[in-house]
Amino acid sequence: MAGTLYIVGVGLGPGQITQEAINVLRSVGEVFIEEYTSMFETSLGDHIAKVVGRMVVKLSRRDLEEESGRVIINAIRKRGSAALAVIGDPMLATTHSALVTQATQLGIRVRVINGISIVCAAVSQAGLSPYKLGPVATVTYERGGVLSKRAYEVLAGNISRGLHTPLLLDIKDEGGFMSIREAVDVLIRLEEEVKQGIVSDDLAAVFESRIGWSDQAIVVASLTNPPDLKPPSVILIPGLLNPVEEEYLRVVHGAGEELLRRHINHVKALMRAM
Amino acid sequence: MAGTLYIVGVGLGPGQITQEAINVLRSVGEVFIEEYTSMFETSLGDHIAKVVGRMVVKLSRRDLEEESGRVIINAIRKRGSAALAVIGDPMLATTHSALVTQATQLGIRVRVINGISIVCAAVSQAGLSPYKLGPVATVTYERGGVLSKRAYEVLAGNISRGLHTPLLLDIKDEGGFMSIREAVDVLIRLEEEVKQGIVSDDLAAVFESRIGWSDQAIVVASLTNPPDLKPPSVILIPGLLNPVEEEYLRVVHGAGEELLRRHINHVKALMRAM
């Protein structure tokens, strides 16, 4: 079967769509969107209608995961091409990988159109170096009576090597994002269970809210004393800081000198102990 | 001193500039570019002239690093605002961090406009998960008779934890990028010195050339048997692969089943040994 599938990242907010993404969304046979893995400043469908000038078909989690994107494959069969527009970059969700693999196996050509990713944007806005960027983790809600320790373990592993940790926040089953306060409470509860001494007043965090939106906000504070920022948010926990990073946090984000000193001593002590 | 400095990421290729970047570059008092930390498909100045409709001032490494961006600060003083347009995302270069810090200290408001970053785009195009993305390293030329072991050490650290490693390739002092073959030769030479057994025929690599350009190419092969792709390139060395990642490499990028099997066994053996 011939035809082309485009997986198109549209960035994090309305201004971040690229010219390439606009051109692809204009030229394909049909445009689909999914909004259940992330959140856009306005309705993604309205945004595409306005910028690209065409209507889109909104897919549910069920359409993509249980029905394996059958509706997209059918559109390619009928019109020769289709695009799935996703918020951010197409890198984060396994769903999109599975769709690309499946389409390729059917003989469909696939092109991944990059968009601005929350992982790189969060590190860049914080002023931290990608040379010390450790693996990403997601802070999750308790599900089926079980609270996953994964985010704590990834954070501990990164801190023990002086690396920075981007923490993404969970999506509620009924829609909407975990708040910064909820995420910090999960981390404090995990600290009480695991007791490795990572989560403490001495750990600094870069709290980032609505990156790429018109009301983007960034606050550096102690992890256990988070600011009240609107979702969606990301928490970036620095590991070791070089002098350029330290000055950036202090001068650009107004981080307290005393907090940064305590953070660096805390991380160094953890690196020695772990 | 009032005024605003914008550091604007324009993405990796001509199609990747965002609407936000275009709007900022149109509205500021003066636009500066630097092209010495990266490379664009066409001349960056010509591209901005075409898309944004205005002339830009090209800065040298000396203008930005030794002169501390004085010419940009002067432009903001005179015209109220200025933008420094950089290839990719503004996250990678220390120079840009230093400029932002300095401007903030002078009372200038700074806004970082995100662009598509090579780090996230490379991982996304490969089909690998950011949940196993380890720190970035750069493979460098011998300088002053010394060959840095840093890239090998970062790779070894990542592999020992099953993490993926994005390897950026050095820029020549006279301009232009290190080729894939040169980078592999550096890694083989480091293996002969360090002898941890990481670099071998059994290690798979995702070779990516000209991400975001019209002739983008991605090839999965043994690290020691690299394809001949045009610069600029990135080498992504996978750590452990989950079933979705493995299938993506095999189906979408045509990776040999036998290479993937050898790679996984090699990484597992290194993880046990290290």
Side-chain angles (χ1 to χ4, degrees):
Chain A
M1 183 185 149
T4 308
L5 167 65
Y6 296 87
I7 312 282
V8 181
V10 300
L12 305 165
Q16 290 188 343
I17 194 165
T18 65
Q19 292 210 308
E20 188 181 22
I22 293 172
N23 292 340
V24 166
L25 296 179
R26 274 201 185 127
S27 66
V28 290
E30 193 143 16
V31 178
F32 297 89
I33 62 168
E34 67 88 348
E35 290 184 294
Y36 65 87
T37 59
S38 196
M39 201 170 139
F40 210 62
E41 184 165 5
T42 57
S43 149
L44 181 56
D46 290 351
H47 172 64
I48 290 176
K50 194 176 137 203
V51 173
V52 177
R54 63 187 295 176
M55 300 303 293
V56 303
V57 179
K58 189 168 166 175
L59 299 179
S60 66
R61 181 184 288 264
R62 193 187 133 82
D63 290 328
L64 270 168
E65 296 182 6
E66 292 172 39
E67 301 285 327
S68 309
R70 195 171 39 80
V71 56
I72 300 180
I73 305 290
N74 284 344
I76 296 170
R77 189 165 280 143
K78 219 184 289 175
R79 302 178 202 277
S81 65
L84 174 63
V86 302
I87 295 168
D89 187 83
M91 76 190 290
L92 279 177
T94 302
T95 308
H96 310 146
S97 299
L99 179 63
V100 169
T101 303
Q102 193 210 352
T104 307
Q105 280 169 327
L106 290 171
I108 296 168
R109 181 169 167 260
V110 180
R111 284 198 57 205
V112 172
I113 307 296
N114 288 116
I116 288 171
S117 156
I118 185 61
V119 174
C120 283
V123 173
S124 185
Q125 290 288 346
L128 298 180
S129 165
Y131 289 98
K132 279 182 294 175
L133 176 60
V136 173
T138 300
V139 182
T140 50
Y141 287 111
E142 185 178 302
R143 282 200 175 80
V146 179
L147 184 62
S148 165
K149 295 194 178 68
R150 183 83 192 131
Y152 189 95
E153 288 163 357
V154 171
L155 175 61
N158 284 343
I159 289 273
S160 73
R161 296 182 286 282
L163 302 177
H164 309 319
T165 309
L167 292 173
L168 307 179
L169 308 195
D170 205 359
I171 301 166
K172 291 176 192 166
D173 293 334
E174 65 275 20
F177 280 87
M178 179 184 268
S179 71
I180 285 177
R181 183 70 252 178
E182 287 176 300
V184 168
D185 287 343
V186 166
L187 293 171
I188 290 173
R189 198 177 135 195
L190 290 173
E191 178 60 54
E192 285 161 1
E193 284 180 29
V194 186
K195 292 191 175 66
Q196 278 190 273
I198 312 273
V199 173
S200 95
D201 298 348
D202 294 333
L203 196 66
V206 186
F207 298 95
E208 303 189 34
S209 161
R210 304 183 168 229
I211 295 300
W213 295 27
S214 48
D215 55 354
Q216 173 179 315
I218 302 177
V219 175
V220 180
S222 164
L223 177 63
T224 54
N225 189 22
D228 184 23
L229 302 176
K230 290 182 202 153
S233 312
V234 175
I235 304 176
L236 202 54
I237 301 192
L240 280 184
L241 295 166
N242 65 36
V244 174
E245 293 175 311
E246 196 185 331
E247 199 186 12
Y248 200 101
L249 292 182
R250 193 171 52 74
V251 173
V252 179
H253 299 307
E257 244 167 280
E258 200 240 330
L259 173 63
L260 293 179
R261 194 184 46 73
R262 273 160 45 211
H263 174 81
I264 292 166
N265 289 338
H266 183 55
V267 171
K268 283 184 179 164
L270 289 167
M271 288 177 74
R272 279 190 301 268
M274 285 166 79
Chain B
M1 183 184 148
T4 308
L5 166 65
Y6 296 88
I7 312 282
V8 181
V10 300
L12 305 165
Q16 291 188 342
I17 193 164
T18 65
Q19 293 210 307
E20 188 181 23
I22 293 172
N23 291 340
V24 166
L25 295 179
R26 275 200 184 128
S27 66
V28 290
E30 194 144 15
V31 178
F32 298 88
I33 61 168
E34 67 87 348
E35 291 183 293
Y36 66 88
T37 59
S38 195
M39 201 170 138
F40 211 60
E41 184 165 5
T42 57
S43 148
L44 182 57
D46 290 352
H47 172 65
I48 291 176
K50 194 176 136 202
V51 173
V52 177
R54 61 187 295 175
M55 299 303 293
V56 304
V57 179
K58 189 168 167 176
L59 300 180
S60 66
R61 181 184 289 264
R62 194 187 133 84
D63 290 327
L64 269 169
E65 296 183 6
E66 292 172 40
E67 301 284 327
S68 310
R70 195 172 38 81
V71 56
I72 300 180
I73 305 290
N74 285 343
I76 296 169
R77 191 166 279 143
K78 220 184 288 174
R79 301 178 203 276
S81 64
L84 174 64
V86 302
I87 296 168
D89 187 81
M91 75 189 294
L92 279 176
T94 303
T95 308
H96 309 146
S97 298
L99 179 63
V100 169
T101 303
Q102 192 210 354
T104 307
Q105 280 169 328
L106 290 170
I108 296 169
R109 180 169 168 260
V110 180
R111 283 197 60 205
V112 172
I113 307 296
N114 288 116
I116 287 170
S117 157
I118 185 60
V119 174
C120 283
V123 173
S124 186
Q125 290 288 346
L128 298 180
S129 165
Y131 288 99
K132 280 183 292 175
L133 175 61
V136 173
T138 299
V139 182
T140 50
Y141 288 111
E142 186 177 302
R143 282 202 174 79
V146 180
L147 185 63
S148 165
K149 295 194 177 69
R150 183 84 192 131
Y152 189 97
E153 288 163 356
V154 171
L155 175 61
N158 284 343
I159 290 273
S160 74
R161 295 183 286 281
L163 302 177
H164 309 318
T165 309
L167 292 174
L168 307 179
L169 308 194
D170 206 358
I171 301 166
K172 291 176 192 165
D173 292 335
E174 65 275 20
F177 280 87
M178 179 183 269
S179 71
I180 285 176
R181 183 71 252 177
E182 288 176 300
V184 168
D185 287 343
V186 167
L187 293 170
I188 290 172
R189 199 176 134 195
L190 289 173
E191 178 60 52
E192 284 161 3
E193 285 181 29
V194 185
K195 292 190 175 65
Q196 278 190 274
I198 312 272
V199 173
S200 95
D201 298 348
D202 294 333
L203 196 66
V206 186
F207 297 96
E208 304 189 34
S209 161
R210 302 181 169 231
I211 295 299
W213 295 27
S214 48
D215 56 353
Q216 173 178 314
I218 302 178
V219 176
V220 180
S222 165
L223 177 63
T224 54
N225 189 22
D228 184 21
L229 302 175
K230 290 183 202 153
S233 313
V234 174
I235 305 176
L236 202 53
I237 302 193
L240 280 183
L241 295 166
N242 65 36
V244 174
E245 293 175 310
E246 196 184 331
E247 198 186 12
Y248 200 101
L249 292 183
R250 194 171 51 74
V251 174
V252 180
H253 298 307
E257 245 168 280
E258 200 238 330
L259 173 63
L260 293 179
R261 195 185 43 74
R262 272 160 45 209
H263 174 81
I264 292 167
N265 289 338
H266 182 55
V267 170
K268 283 185 179 165
L270 289 167
M271 288 177 74
R272 280 191 300 268
M274 286 166 78

